[in-house]
Amino acid sequence: MDQISGFLRQFWGLWLMLLFLAIVWWAYRPKNKDRFRDDAMIPLRDDETVEEKNDGRAS
């Protein structure tokens, strides 16, 4: 078991690079583009709803 763990420890940089590349690939897939665009607008939607409620009122 020690030999196997010692052998796998040599490749920790490779494993981390593969994990990073997989996350980047997932994030830049065209399928996720609309989802991320909608998620990015969440803070602005909250501001829009507050503005709609305050229309016609003096600030």
Side-chain angles (χ1 to χ4, degrees), residues 8-59:
L8 293 177
R9 265 190 221 135
Q10 295 176 4
F11 297 105
W12 68 271
L14 178 63
W15 296 118
L16 290 177
M17 181 60 76
L18 290 174
L19 178 64
F20 173 76
L21 291 174
I23 291 170
V24 169
W25 172 80
W26 174 79
Y28 282 101
R29 283 181 21 200
K31 181 179 177 182
N32 291 329
K33 185 176 183 177
D34 292 333
R35 177 181 166 217
F36 290 141
R37 183 180 296 135
D38 290 341
D39 290 347
M41 296 303 290
I42 289 173
L44 300 176
R45 275 192 230 136
D46 291 340
D47 291 343
E48 289 173 0
T49 56
V50 170
E51 288 176 7
E52 289 173 3
K53 289 179 183 178
N54 289 335
D55 282 347
R57 294 186 196 169
S59 294

